[in-house]
Amino acid sequence: MTPPAEGTLLRRAAWSVSAQTALAVAMVVVIVSLGVVVLFDHQQATEIRGLVRQTATKADDVNDPPVGIWLVRVTGASRTASPGTPAAVVGARQLAEDPPGLVSVDTAGSHWTAWVDARGDGVRFAAVYDQSRHIAEEHRIVDATTLAGLVGVILAAGIGLLVGRRAVRPLGSALQLQRRFVADASHELRTPLAVVHTRAQMVRRHLAADASPRQRAELDQLVADTESLGEVVSDLLLAAQLEHTQLAHSRVDLAELAEEVGASMRPYAEQAGVHLDVAVEGGRSDGLVVSGAPTALRRALTALVDNAIAHSSSGGAVCIRLQADGAGPFAQGRAAGMIRVSVEDHGDGLDPTEATRLTQRFARGEPTSAGGGRRFGLGLALVDEVVRAHQGRLEIAGAPGEGSSFTLHLPGAADAGTRAEADG
């Protein structure tokens, strides 16, 4: 998947702040609503118990009970009740059988709270509360708090979005300044560093024949250091372009690109005593075409080959291996339409647990006996950014003492075009 643009990331950050604010407010509203309902039920229960107790103990007939209260008089098998009392309440056995005091009447699928007061002449007065009033009041409270909560969530989301945009605006400005600084600094440093590197080479080439080995070694190190510094500056510039601009894409034949990189790096490999080879699985180079930026892909593949050579001992071998998934013994389980470009070496290898860390900028591997240490720095991080910018992924494999393999999984040209349209 193509890395999102800076503006998209900032908008996502603003929406994230808005969503988190709305979620926090929603949680507060839910907690407050539950608290209100629980508190209302508790207060209502206390008031209902007091009301039915007072009504039952003071009643001398079943006429004119308080609003929302039914009075039932139980005398042996005979019962009289205030007008409007449901028949289920009048005939409830709890009114005659339960001990005097607070009574729960459950009948006809409904629940009522009642208080039974026993008189000395065997007469019982029961005051029963009409729960429908309590339920209606509870529903009104729940509806009111829900409506208020929804309005609060909407307002919180709007305020969160406004605050989020204001919060990320300075971040966007800082990122823009950082990008401009990296690009300008890298661009301005490339020419002076190239001049310094050239002058260092000239000094080494015209070094007097009677120069001491130490002087020659120091000059060799100076040339190597200026070359490495130039590569770091180039990597910084390309990384800034990959992160913040959309590189122009064209059809790139990976087989031709691998041959070009192989031809370019072969003299360097021979100087290190390493055999560099390019192999196409199945013997067919057609179909190894992707949609991408040739310069970026060449830089990524060159960085992998450079690291592989530096990590290989004299007499070792490095291979650039290409394969279209769906062909060859290693294609099982791979997604159709993907092309794999692997750089394999048989050097000291690497610890697989370090694979993720090594793709971070300025991360370096442990020193090795072959090349003085994996020279990842920005290199492998840049490779990972190039691959992700081409909707692919980087796979790292290896084991200590058994060599390593770095594989670029890239979508074929037709597949890449389809995905780009889908992302757009």
Side-chain angles (χ1 to χ4, degrees):
M1 180 178 183
T2 303
E6 181 180 291
T8 302
L9 291 175
L10 293 177
R11 285 192 296 273
R12 287 181 181 177
W15 279 109
S16 176
V17 171
S18 174
Q20 292 179 29
T21 303
L23 180 61
V25 172
M27 293 178 64
V28 171
V29 168
V30 170
I31 294 173
V32 170
S33 299
L34 291 175
V36 168
V37 173
V38 171
L39 181 61
F40 171 76
D41 285 340
H42 177 72
Q43 291 180 340
Q44 283 285 66
T46 302
E47 293 178 6
I48 290 171
R49 286 195 296 268
L51 182 59
V52 293
R53 178 180 181 179
Q54 182 180 9
T55 302
T57 54
K58 292 184 177 181
D60 52 9
D61 58 44
V62 294
N63 299 319
D64 300 324
V67 178
I69 300 291
W70 299 311
L71 272 172
V72 180
R73 177 174 177 172
V74 181
T75 306
S78 128
R79 302 190 183 199
T80 55
S82 55
T85 305
V89 173
V90 176
R93 61 176 181 79
Q94 292 93 340
L95 303 182
E97 297 177 1
D98 286 6
L102 188 65
V103 174
S104 179
V105 179
D106 297 292
T107 182
S110 300
H111 169 77
W112 292 276
T113 300
W115 188 278
V116 176
D117 181 62
R119 307 294 170 84
D121 53 359
V123 177
R124 284 186 166 205
F125 277 93
V128 184
Y129 183 78
D130 183 4
Q131 291 291 129
S132 61
R133 297 170 58 86
H134 168 72
I135 295 173
E137 188 68 23
E138 187 178 68
H139 285 171
R140 283 195 293 270
I141 291 178
V142 171
D143 292 342
T145 53
T146 300
L147 179 60
L150 290 176
V151 173
V153 169
I154 294 174
L155 291 176
I159 295 174
L161 181 59
L162 179 62
V163 172
R165 288 182 175 178
R166 290 181 179 272
V168 301
R169 191 175 299 164
L171 177 60
S173 300
L175 290 174
Q176 185 177 8
L177 290 174
Q178 180 190 32
R179 179 180 70 249
R180 186 180 302 170
F181 171 77
V182 172
D184 291 347
S186 301
H187 185 270
E188 293 299 326
L189 286 173
R190 290 176 69 183
T191 300
L193 286 174
V195 172
V196 172
H197 180 61
T198 302
R199 290 186 181 276
Q201 288 179 312
M202 292 178 62
V203 172
R204 183 179 62 178
R205 188 177 301 115
H206 296 91
L207 188 64
D210 58 348
S212 67
R214 180 176 180 179
Q215 289 177 321
R216 293 183 181 277
E218 291 292 341
L219 276 177
D220 289 341
Q221 187 61 50
L222 176 62
V223 172
D225 289 343
T226 55
E227 182 180 12
S228 297
L229 187 56
E231 290 177 352
V232 169
V233 171
S234 298
D235 286 350
L236 281 172
L237 182 59
L238 182 54
Q241 293 174 342
L242 285 173
E243 286 184 348
H244 305 291
T245 61
Q246 182 66 40
L247 298 180
H249 281 206
S250 60
R251 293 177 66 85
V252 181
D253 189 325
L254 291 180
E256 293 182 0
L257 182 66
E259 291 291 350
E260 293 175 3
V261 172
S264 174
M265 298 295 292
R266 198 161 281 120
Y268 171 62
E270 291 175 353
Q271 286 184 352
V274 176
H275 176 71
L276 176 60
D277 189 26
V278 178
V280 178
E281 292 291 332
R284 297 185 57 183
S285 61
D286 56 328
L288 300 176
V289 179
V290 300
S291 175
T295 303
L297 291 172
R298 181 181 293 106
R299 185 73 184 92
L301 187 56
T302 300
L304 291 180
V305 174
D306 178 40
N307 278 318
I309 294 173
H311 192 58
S312 299
S313 302
S314 179
V318 173
C319 181
I320 306 175
R321 193 178 307 278
L322 300 95
Q323 178 178 339
D325 284 337
F330 303 103
Q332 296 181 359
R334 302 292 185 182
M338 300 295 290
I339 299 173
R340 289 186 290 157
V341 183
S342 300
V343 177
E344 305 167 354
D345 65 67
H346 303 281
D348 290 337
L350 55 83
D351 186 350
T353 59
E354 288 191 339
T356 301
R357 185 184 68 83
L358 291 175
T359 57
Q360 300 174 0
R361 293 188 179 184
F362 304 108
R364 295 181 180 274
E366 296 295 329
T368 65
S369 60
R374 281 282 187 186
R375 299 179 295 144
F376 289 138
L378 281 170
L380 195 53
L382 175 63
V383 172
D384 186 53
E385 290 176 359
V386 169
V387 175
R388 287 189 289 108
H390 288 78
Q391 308 175 41
R393 63 184 178 88
L394 172 64
E395 181 181 358
I396 303 175
E402 299 180 8
S404 57
S405 172
F406 298 83
T407 303
L408 312 181
H409 295 265
L410 299 170
D415 190 46
T418 302
R419 294 188 181 194
E421 293 177 3
D423 290 341

